[in-house]
Amino acid sequence: MKKIFISSFLLLFVTFSSFAQKEKTQKAHYNTNKFRQLKQELPTPNSQHTASGAPGHEYTQQQVDYDIAVILDDENQRIYGEETITYHNNSNDVLTYLWIQLDQNMRAQNSKTPDIQQEKTNALYTPKRFASKFVENPFDGGFKIEYVKNIDGSNASYLINQTMMRLNLDTPLAPGEKHSFKIKWWYNINNHVEQGGRSGFEHFPTDGNNNYIIAQFYPRLAVYDNVDGWQNMQFWGRSEFALEFGNFNVAITTPKDHILGATGVLTNEKEVLTNTQLKRLEKARKSYDKPVIIVTQEEAEKAEKGRAKDTKTWKFYAENVRDFAFASSRKYIWDAMAVDINGKKVMAYSYYSKEGNPLWEKHSTRAVASTLKTYSKYTFDYPYHKAISVHARSIGMEYPMICFNFGRPKPDGTYSDRTKYRMLGVIIHEVGHNFFPMIINSDERQWTWMDEGLNSFVQILAQKEYDPNFPIRRGLPKSIVGYMRGDQSKIAPIMTQGDKVYQFGNNAYAKPAAGLYMLRQTIMGPELFDYAFKTYARRWKFKHPTPADFFRTMEDASAMDLDWFWRGWFYTTGSNDIGIKEVKKYYVTDKPTKRAEKMAKRYGITVDQLPPSLYLVSENSDEFSSDLKNKKTEDFSILKDYIEKNFSEEEQKTLKAPKYFYELTFEKPGDLVMPIIVEFEYEDGTKERKQYPAQIWRLNDKEVTKVFPASKAIKKITIDPDEETADVDLSNNSWPKNKETKFDKFKKKQIKG
Ligand SMILES: [Zn+2]
């Protein structure tokens, strides 16, 4: 009785003191544990953006319809436009003003974009560069607003702040109401080759023609929602756009000899196309295996020589799009083919000047068709009736149903493989943007990774499907390593607004794409990943998803807690470095080891009184070399005897027969947590892999130990042999250690210094 009392008191004491200890360490642990939940970072779910990551039952989104008429003035490179905007307030809020985006004002003479760029004097300036920088007045490409009127013709009240215009409403706009108003404007089109930009024109001195790729050409509504209120962050030129869906009626007047491609259904094709073109187009609508030429190179070259004085007006209707863009030139060759998207016909078009050939006629339209198929497979069936690729020098830019792409052979028509694959890469990428963000309409100005990152990831899959040997340039985990181990002061987390990141391409495209690739290939596996990714795409198709909606959906649809991954990969600049620190080989013995003796002593018994046991003894310990090194240990008969004694013959057939036991110690100098992928190479040359989930690090962020039983002796151990986890230092990834050459050491020093 007494004895029991004492021992339970002791037990209580031990429990109590260890509880206090535990609480203390857990408190410290809670703030830094890399597996703590992401809730504290994410916005609180609500009935519009739910905890599952899906749109909620009270989800609303504004609608904006546009009726636009523009004239393309080829002689002066100007656009004149007039539009009627109808704003539908579907929110539950009363609005007293509307914000309208005037993106071209980024090129206005009073633009602040040049003022915020840091600059130093250059070593030398070309006369042209010198003149444009110091002598000439800056190009004036801002919107000239002629009027903003109410629908009854009276003047509306408005204010312009840089790239944003506030329309002050005479009477507040109640939920469910709509408001129409008119804007008239014009602007000088920028030469995008000389002045840069996402749209503009290229001038061809040899034939005197221009190629117009026109976008952000009309005042367009900013987004209003319950996430940001009015999303009216200024357009500085880099971070792209946030837009509402709506229906567009657009009439574009061009010189009569122009060929034009645009967002939407061409509703007056009989008025603007020749009979020959219409006939060829009919043929293309039935051609699923190869493109049909609608305007030949010969016809385009002939058109280049003319200068029509007359005009014609192209009319388009686009339903449920977030934007509208077009391309126009008399230089265009045009080809088309039909694409079967699960029984629905979609047209793939390309418009290009002779300068793009022979590359463009071979690949562009085919690449469009293939991209639509692959993206449809990983998201949803492409919902629009067409997708266009337009050839434009040095540009890769996307709009609904239409995109502008670089990739030009040398003047003699020859081209390198690099030119070809870069062109295919940009076409696949920009056509892919139809899904992210044209349809899965995330806010580009705030979260560049949501469109560029997700798109760059699916781009990899689409490139491989177009050509299994496609050289993947960007987005694989191993190709992001250089960036991730670079100077930390020149890296920002992915979750940073686009205007504030250092290395835009790596931050917004490559790193998120590599992260998703890793999630699919290594962490979740394609089956779980693809379903969840598709769920996200379907939930947010024609809606406005936020980062939390993506993070939550990926977990909601897969039963995987990925908070550690989002936290590390998206919210920090940490990198992954996992190494193998120590490998100890053990043998099985039936002779009690010193550790067993110690344990027996603790219980107040002798080793003989321990139940019959097997023991593991390290080959490096003196125990092994003296007492335990006997024939039985070396020929593995101990385990054999044990098995024969304790299992029936039937049972023995299914048993494993490990001979060696390895105690592996993994170290993690890197900040990120990641799965440990281990490849064991046995002495007979065969290999085996084992992947430990990232959660192995949940209680010790620096070092973990595992025991691995093997039936054959291990010759070599390699961590992450296929470089799937963006491990930034491979020098600690093998056992026995790879001998470091002088050059390796030098290289490492360079990287770290
Ligand atoms: Zn992009």
Side-chain angles (χ1 to χ4, degrees), residues 72-134:
L72 175 66
D73 177 354
D74 186 20
E75 232 155 82
N76 301 300
Q77 295 94 50
R78 274 185 191 164
I79 296 257
Y80 299 90
E82 243 183 309
E83 68 183 334
T84 302
I85 300 175
T86 302
Y87 188 84
H88 303 259
N89 182 12
N90 297 332
S91 79
N92 297 315
D93 312 324
V94 175
L95 301 175
T96 52
Y97 46 76
L98 309 179
W99 282 100
I100 296 140
Q101 313 190 53
L102 304 176
D103 311 276
Q104 295 298 336
N105 280 2
M106 198 270 289
R107 305 187 169 281
Q109 281 183 315
N110 66 352
S111 167
K112 289 180 180 164
T113 293
D115 293 349
I116 64 163
Q117 313 306 331
Q118 292 202 57
E119 54 191 359
K120 282 183 177 167
T121 50
N122 286 346
L124 58 100
Y125 295 87
T126 60
K128 199 170 174 184
R129 178 107 184 99
F130 189 89
S132 77
K133 199 141 182 59
F134 302 116

Side-chain angles (χ1 to χ4, degrees), residues 500-520:
K500 302 172 186 81
V501 302
Y502 295 97
Q503 303 175 55
F504 197 60
N506 280 320
N507 182 292
Y509 295 67
K511 189 182 168 189
L516 296 179
Y517 195 86
M518 202 184 297
L519 271 184
R520 182 174 194 264

Side-chain angles (χ1 to χ4, degrees), residues 93-213:
D93 312 324
V94 175
L95 301 175
T96 52
Y97 46 76
L98 309 179
W99 282 100
I100 296 140
Q101 313 190 53
L102 304 176
D103 311 276
Q104 295 298 336
N105 280 2
M106 198 270 289
R107 305 187 169 281
Q109 281 183 315
N110 66 352
S111 167
K112 289 180 180 164
T113 293
D115 293 349
I116 64 163
Q117 313 306 331
Q118 292 202 57
E119 54 191 359
K120 282 183 177 167
T121 50
N122 286 346
L124 58 100
Y125 295 87
T126 60
K128 199 170 174 184
R129 178 107 184 99
F130 189 89
S132 77
K133 199 141 182 59
F134 302 116
V135 182
E136 294 164 4
N137 286 321
F139 171 72
D140 180 8
F143 275 118
K144 316 288 177 221
I145 302 292
E146 296 206 344
Y147 66 64
V148 181
K149 285 188 169 168
N150 296 313
I151 212 71
D152 63 8
S154 60
N155 285 330
S157 153
Y158 66 92
L159 169 131
I160 294 173
N161 172 12
Q162 298 290 310
T163 62
M164 290 286 164
M165 172 199 272
R166 190 185 66 222
L167 180 80
N168 306 315
L169 300 173
D170 292 339
T171 45
L173 188 61
E177 282 184 356
K178 60 182 178 182
H179 179 72
S180 296
F181 58 102
K182 285 170 183 276
I183 305 179
K184 189 175 182 195
W185 76 92
W186 68 270
Y187 70 88
N188 293 310
I189 305 169
N190 54 303
N191 179 326
H192 70 76
V193 179
E194 287 172 9
Q195 287 141 344
R198 293 163 198 281
S199 59
F201 71 93
E202 177 186 359
H203 183 69
F204 292 80
T206 45
D207 54 69
N209 282 290
N210 298 319
N211 174 27
Y212 295 92
I213 48 168

Side-chain angles (χ1 to χ4, degrees), residues 367-469:
V368 174
S370 164
T371 304
L372 294 178
K373 281 187 182 166
T374 309
Y375 274 72
S376 295
K377 191 166 98 188
Y378 289 102
T379 57
F380 44 76
D381 289 352
Y382 182 65
Y384 296 134
H385 75 292
K386 73 176 177 194
I388 302 173
S389 162
V390 180
H391 177 47
R393 183 169 154 188
S394 323
I395 289 222
M397 193 56 208
E398 71 280 8
Y399 299 94
M401 303 181 215
I402 185 167
C403 54
F404 312 143
N405 305 307
F406 60 75
R408 187 171 292 179
K410 291 181 195 137
D412 66 1
T414 61
Y415 55 86
S416 61
D417 253 14
R418 185 181 146 82
T419 302
K420 176 183 119 178
Y421 282 116
R422 274 173 52 87
M423 172 201 122
L424 281 170
V426 73
I427 293 176
I428 291 169
H429 179 94
E430 306 306 340
V431 171
H433 270 309
N434 274 299
F435 295 82
F436 311 93
M438 295 306 147
I439 298 167
I440 303 155
N441 188 8
S442 56
D443 177 346
E444 297 177 276
R445 184 138 315 154
Q446 290 197 79
W447 308 116
T448 315
W449 68 268
M450 287 196 78
D451 61 298
E452 298 301 355
L454 268 58
N455 184 39
S456 298
F457 160 70
V458 188
Q459 181 192 346
I460 297 174
L461 307 175
Q463 285 172 334
K464 282 185 174 167
E465 228 150 294
Y466 187 76
D467 177 350
N469 300 316

